[in-house]
Amino acid sequence: MNWNLEEAITHYRAMGTDQNTLVNLLKEIQQEQGGTIPLFAVPQVAENFGVKESFLLAVIRRMPSLRLGDTHTLQICGGPNCGKHRALAEAAQKLESKKLRVSFVPCMRMCGKGPNIKFDGKLYHGATPELLKQLTKEAGI
Ligand code: FES
């Protein structure tokens, strides 16, 4: 079974919102995301634990074992419906850089609303190459 950020947050959130639980969640995120905590996880964790993003970032910086990543992520649905949109896939590949990790994932199970993408963990329907350009521009990539 694939690791899922939302499920991990729900799991830890059920144990409480104290700082130890928060740090344990951050450690798991870091481990599952290849050694750093991705930027897109920060607002989701902060919201679910009822803390400000600035507080969460301070916790991450204070803990020597935690590292914040600086890479944005773009997931493109490669399922049978969304995968037909070659222009979107080609635009995504052109945008890949040190600051943007692009990956193609299996069907996101919302085929009727496709093509679907996730940028920094946020889902977008009806994605176009123009949307990709807009999102990366807004993120300063
Ligand atoms: S093919 Fe993209 S959501 Fe199913």
Side-chain angles (χ1 to χ4, degrees), residues 7-18 20-22 24-25 28 49:
E7 288 175 11
I9 291 172
T10 302
H11 173 75
Y12 280 91
R13 181 73 176 76
M15 290 190 244
T17 55
D18 60 281
N20 279 344
T21 305
L22 179 61
N24 286 334
L25 169 61
E28 181 173 319
F49 274 73

PDB file of all heavy atoms in Angstrom, residues 7-18 20-22 24-25 28 49:
ATOM      1  N   GLU A   7      -3.621  10.505   4.944  1.00  0.00           N
ATOM      2  CA  GLU A   7      -3.860   9.411   5.893  1.00  0.00           C
ATOM      3  C   GLU A   7      -2.907   9.497   7.088  1.00  0.00           C
ATOM      4  O   GLU A   7      -3.288   9.227   8.219  1.00  0.00           O
ATOM      5  CB  GLU A   7      -3.717   8.054   5.203  1.00  0.00           C
ATOM      6  CG  GLU A   7      -4.871   7.758   4.261  1.00  0.00           C
ATOM      7  CD  GLU A   7      -4.670   6.468   3.473  1.00  0.00           C
ATOM      8  OE1 GLU A   7      -3.754   5.692   3.796  1.00  0.00           O
ATOM      9  OE2 GLU A   7      -5.444   6.258   2.526  1.00  0.00           O
ATOM     10  N   ALA A   8      -1.668   9.877   6.822  1.00  0.00           N
ATOM     11  CA  ALA A   8      -0.695  10.008   7.903  1.00  0.00           C
ATOM     12  C   ALA A   8      -1.126  11.128   8.858  1.00  0.00           C
ATOM     13  O   ALA A   8      -1.082  10.972  10.084  1.00  0.00           O
ATOM     14  CB  ALA A   8       0.699  10.291   7.340  1.00  0.00           C
ATOM     15  N   ILE A   9      -1.565  12.252   8.299  1.00  0.00           N
ATOM     16  CA  ILE A   9      -2.027  13.364   9.131  1.00  0.00           C
ATOM     17  C   ILE A   9      -3.220  12.917   9.981  1.00  0.00           C
ATOM     18  O   ILE A   9      -3.258  13.159  11.192  1.00  0.00           O
ATOM     19  CB  ILE A   9      -2.402  14.594   8.260  1.00  0.00           C
ATOM     20  CG1 ILE A   9      -1.148  15.210   7.645  1.00  0.00           C
ATOM     21  CG2 ILE A   9      -3.151  15.629   9.086  1.00  0.00           C
ATOM     22  CD1 ILE A   9      -1.430  16.308   6.621  1.00  0.00           C
ATOM     23  N   THR A  10      -4.178  12.252   9.354  1.00  0.00           N
ATOM     24  CA  THR A  10      -5.362  11.777  10.082  1.00  0.00           C
ATOM     25  C   THR A  10      -4.957  10.819  11.206  1.00  0.00           C
ATOM     26  O   THR A  10      -5.463  10.903  12.326  1.00  0.00           O
ATOM     27  CB  THR A  10      -6.333  11.059   9.105  1.00  0.00           C
ATOM     28  OG1 THR A  10      -6.687  11.977   8.074  1.00  0.00           O
ATOM     29  CG2 THR A  10      -7.577  10.576   9.822  1.00  0.00           C
ATOM     30  N   HIS A  11      -4.021   9.920  10.901  1.00  0.00           N
ATOM     31  CA  HIS A  11      -3.551   8.938  11.888  1.00  0.00           C
ATOM     32  C   HIS A  11      -2.938   9.633  13.115  1.00  0.00           C
ATOM     33  O   HIS A  11      -3.284   9.346  14.253  1.00  0.00           O
ATOM     34  CB  HIS A  11      -2.536   8.013  11.219  1.00  0.00           C
ATOM     35  CG  HIS A  11      -1.850   7.080  12.146  1.00  0.00           C
ATOM     36  ND1 HIS A  11      -2.470   5.959  12.672  1.00  0.00           N
ATOM     37  CD2 HIS A  11      -0.601   7.098  12.680  1.00  0.00           C
ATOM     38  CE1 HIS A  11      -1.626   5.329  13.458  1.00  0.00           C
ATOM     39  NE2 HIS A  11      -0.486   6.005  13.491  1.00  0.00           N
ATOM     40  N   TYR A  12      -2.013  10.574  12.862  1.00  0.00           N
ATOM     41  CA  TYR A  12      -1.342  11.245  13.981  1.00  0.00           C
ATOM     42  C   TYR A  12      -2.291  12.200  14.692  1.00  0.00           C
ATOM     43  O   TYR A  12      -2.226  12.352  15.918  1.00  0.00           O
ATOM     44  CB  TYR A  12      -0.086  11.978  13.490  1.00  0.00           C
ATOM     45  CG  TYR A  12       1.076  11.029  13.313  1.00  0.00           C
ATOM     46  CD1 TYR A  12       1.294  10.403  12.095  1.00  0.00           C
ATOM     47  CD2 TYR A  12       1.933  10.736  14.362  1.00  0.00           C
ATOM     48  CE1 TYR A  12       2.344   9.515  11.919  1.00  0.00           C
ATOM     49  CE2 TYR A  12       2.994   9.854  14.198  1.00  0.00           C
ATOM     50  CZ  TYR A  12       3.188   9.241  12.977  1.00  0.00           C
ATOM     51  OH  TYR A  12       4.221   8.355  12.817  1.00  0.00           O
ATOM     52  N   ARG A  13      -3.151  12.846  13.916  1.00  0.00           N
ATOM     53  CA  ARG A  13      -4.099  13.806  14.495  1.00  0.00           C
ATOM     54  C   ARG A  13      -4.997  13.113  15.529  1.00  0.00           C
ATOM     55  O   ARG A  13      -5.358  13.692  16.546  1.00  0.00           O
ATOM     56  CB  ARG A  13      -4.936  14.421  13.363  1.00  0.00           C
ATOM     57  CG  ARG A  13      -5.958  15.444  13.756  1.00  0.00           C
ATOM     58  CD  ARG A  13      -5.316  16.756  14.154  1.00  0.00           C
ATOM     59  NE  ARG A  13      -6.327  17.746  14.447  1.00  0.00           N
ATOM     60  CZ  ARG A  13      -7.038  17.780  15.565  1.00  0.00           C
ATOM     61  NH1 ARG A  13      -6.855  16.885  16.491  1.00  0.00           N
ATOM     62  NH2 ARG A  13      -7.927  18.732  15.763  1.00  0.00           N
ATOM     63  N   ALA A  14      -5.325  11.848  15.269  1.00  0.00           N
ATOM     64  CA  ALA A  14      -6.178  11.088  16.192  1.00  0.00           C
ATOM     65  C   ALA A  14      -5.474  10.827  17.520  1.00  0.00           C
ATOM     66  O   ALA A  14      -6.124  10.558  18.529  1.00  0.00           O
ATOM     67  CB  ALA A  14      -6.587   9.763  15.552  1.00  0.00           C
ATOM     68  N   MET A  15      -4.145  10.936  17.520  1.00  0.00           N
ATOM     69  CA  MET A  15      -3.378  10.700  18.760  1.00  0.00           C
ATOM     70  C   MET A  15      -3.261  11.973  19.593  1.00  0.00           C
ATOM     71  O   MET A  15      -2.795  11.933  20.721  1.00  0.00           O
ATOM     72  CB  MET A  15      -1.984  10.191  18.416  1.00  0.00           C
ATOM     73  CG  MET A  15      -1.959   8.800  17.856  1.00  0.00           C
ATOM     74  SD  MET A  15      -0.260   8.231  17.769  1.00  0.00           S
ATOM     75  CE  MET A  15      -0.077   8.055  16.026  1.00  0.00           C
ATOM     76  N   GLY A  16      -3.622  13.115  18.995  1.00  0.00           N
ATOM     77  CA  GLY A  16      -3.537  14.374  19.726  1.00  0.00           C
ATOM     78  C   GLY A  16      -2.841  15.429  18.911  1.00  0.00           C
ATOM     79  O   GLY A  16      -2.404  15.171  17.791  1.00  0.00           O
ATOM     80  N   THR A  17      -2.752  16.639  19.479  1.00  0.00           N
ATOM     81  CA  THR A  17      -2.115  17.733  18.745  1.00  0.00           C
ATOM     82  C   THR A  17      -0.908  18.284  19.508  1.00  0.00           C
ATOM     83  O   THR A  17      -0.478  19.404  19.273  1.00  0.00           O
ATOM     84  CB  THR A  17      -3.122  18.877  18.497  1.00  0.00           C
ATOM     85  OG1 THR A  17      -3.668  19.277  19.756  1.00  0.00           O
ATOM     86  CG2 THR A  17      -4.234  18.443  17.568  1.00  0.00           C
ATOM     87  N   ASP A  18      -0.368  17.477  20.437  1.00  0.00           N
ATOM     88  CA  ASP A  18       0.794  17.944  21.191  1.00  0.00           C
ATOM     89  C   ASP A  18       2.040  17.955  20.296  1.00  0.00           C
ATOM     90  O   ASP A  18       2.054  17.370  19.210  1.00  0.00           O
ATOM     91  CB  ASP A  18       1.025  17.051  22.413  1.00  0.00           C
ATOM     92  CG  ASP A  18       1.272  15.614  21.989  1.00  0.00           C
ATOM     93  OD1 ASP A  18       0.277  14.914  21.683  1.00  0.00           O
ATOM     94  OD2 ASP A  18       2.448  15.219  21.930  1.00  0.00           O
ATOM     95  N   ASN A  20       4.998  16.550  20.556  1.00  0.00           N
ATOM     96  CA  ASN A  20       5.650  15.261  20.287  1.00  0.00           C
ATOM     97  C   ASN A  20       4.977  14.537  19.129  1.00  0.00           C
ATOM     98  O   ASN A  20       5.641  13.974  18.268  1.00  0.00           O
ATOM     99  CB  ASN A  20       5.614  14.365  21.533  1.00  0.00           C
ATOM    100  CG  ASN A  20       6.709  14.717  22.510  1.00  0.00           C
ATOM    101  OD1 ASN A  20       7.669  15.403  22.156  1.00  0.00           O
ATOM    102  ND2 ASN A  20       6.554  14.268  23.744  1.00  0.00           N
ATOM    103  N   THR A  21       3.652  14.556  19.123  1.00  0.00           N
ATOM    104  CA  THR A  21       2.915  13.909  18.034  1.00  0.00           C
ATOM    105  C   THR A  21       3.208  14.613  16.716  1.00  0.00           C
ATOM    106  O   THR A  21       3.431  13.971  15.681  1.00  0.00           O
ATOM    107  CB  THR A  21       1.396  13.940  18.326  1.00  0.00           C
ATOM    108  OG1 THR A  21       1.171  13.352  19.604  1.00  0.00           O
ATOM    109  CG2 THR A  21       0.610  13.176  17.281  1.00  0.00           C
ATOM    110  N   LEU A  22       3.241  15.931  16.757  1.00  0.00           N
ATOM    111  CA  LEU A  22       3.541  16.728  15.562  1.00  0.00           C
ATOM    112  C   LEU A  22       4.929  16.377  15.017  1.00  0.00           C
ATOM    113  O   LEU A  22       5.106  16.147  13.818  1.00  0.00           O
ATOM    114  CB  LEU A  22       3.454  18.218  15.914  1.00  0.00           C
ATOM    115  CG  LEU A  22       3.754  19.210  14.804  1.00  0.00           C
ATOM    116  CD1 LEU A  22       2.788  19.057  13.648  1.00  0.00           C
ATOM    117  CD2 LEU A  22       3.702  20.639  15.345  1.00  0.00           C
ATOM    118  N   ASN A  24       6.648  13.630  15.528  1.00  0.00           N
ATOM    119  CA  ASN A  24       6.644  12.257  15.010  1.00  0.00           C
ATOM    120  C   ASN A  24       6.037  12.205  13.612  1.00  0.00           C
ATOM    121  O   ASN A  24       6.511  11.474  12.746  1.00  0.00           O
ATOM    122  CB  ASN A  24       5.891  11.324  15.958  1.00  0.00           C
ATOM    123  CG  ASN A  24       6.703  11.034  17.208  1.00  0.00           C
ATOM    124  OD1 ASN A  24       7.932  11.102  17.194  1.00  0.00           O
ATOM    125  ND2 ASN A  24       6.025  10.720  18.300  1.00  0.00           N
ATOM    126  N   LEU A  25       4.983  12.989  13.386  1.00  0.00           N
ATOM    127  CA  LEU A  25       4.390  13.058  12.045  1.00  0.00           C
ATOM    128  C   LEU A  25       5.403  13.632  11.055  1.00  0.00           C
ATOM    129  O   LEU A  25       5.593  13.101   9.960  1.00  0.00           O
ATOM    130  CB  LEU A  25       3.119  13.930  12.063  1.00  0.00           C
ATOM    131  CG  LEU A  25       2.552  14.311  10.686  1.00  0.00           C
ATOM    132  CD1 LEU A  25       2.146  13.072   9.885  1.00  0.00           C
ATOM    133  CD2 LEU A  25       1.363  15.253  10.856  1.00  0.00           C
ATOM    134  N   GLU A  28       7.947  11.116  10.084  1.00  0.00           N
ATOM    135  CA  GLU A  28       7.428  10.118   9.147  1.00  0.00           C
ATOM    136  C   GLU A  28       7.332  10.712   7.744  1.00  0.00           C
ATOM    137  O   GLU A  28       7.686  10.065   6.759  1.00  0.00           O
ATOM    138  CB  GLU A  28       6.056   9.601   9.592  1.00  0.00           C
ATOM    139  CG  GLU A  28       5.528   8.541   8.622  1.00  0.00           C
ATOM    140  CD  GLU A  28       4.255   7.858   9.089  1.00  0.00           C
ATOM    141  OE1 GLU A  28       4.140   7.548  10.287  1.00  0.00           O
ATOM    142  OE2 GLU A  28       3.373   7.643   8.238  1.00  0.00           O
ATOM    143  N   PHE A  49      -3.219  20.610  12.536  1.00  0.00           N
ATOM    144  CA  PHE A  49      -2.792  20.648  13.936  1.00  0.00           C
ATOM    145  C   PHE A  49      -3.127  21.987  14.597  1.00  0.00           C
ATOM    146  O   PHE A  49      -2.763  22.232  15.743  1.00  0.00           O
ATOM    147  CB  PHE A  49      -1.296  20.334  14.045  1.00  0.00           C
ATOM    148  CG  PHE A  49      -1.027  18.850  14.104  1.00  0.00           C
ATOM    149  CD1 PHE A  49      -1.173  18.059  12.975  1.00  0.00           C
ATOM    150  CD2 PHE A  49      -0.687  18.240  15.302  1.00  0.00           C
ATOM    151  CE1 PHE A  49      -0.964  16.693  13.030  1.00  0.00           C
ATOM    152  CE2 PHE A  49      -0.480  16.878  15.367  1.00  0.00           C
ATOM    153  CZ  PHE A  49      -0.613  16.103  14.226  1.00  0.00           C
TER     154      PHE A  49
END
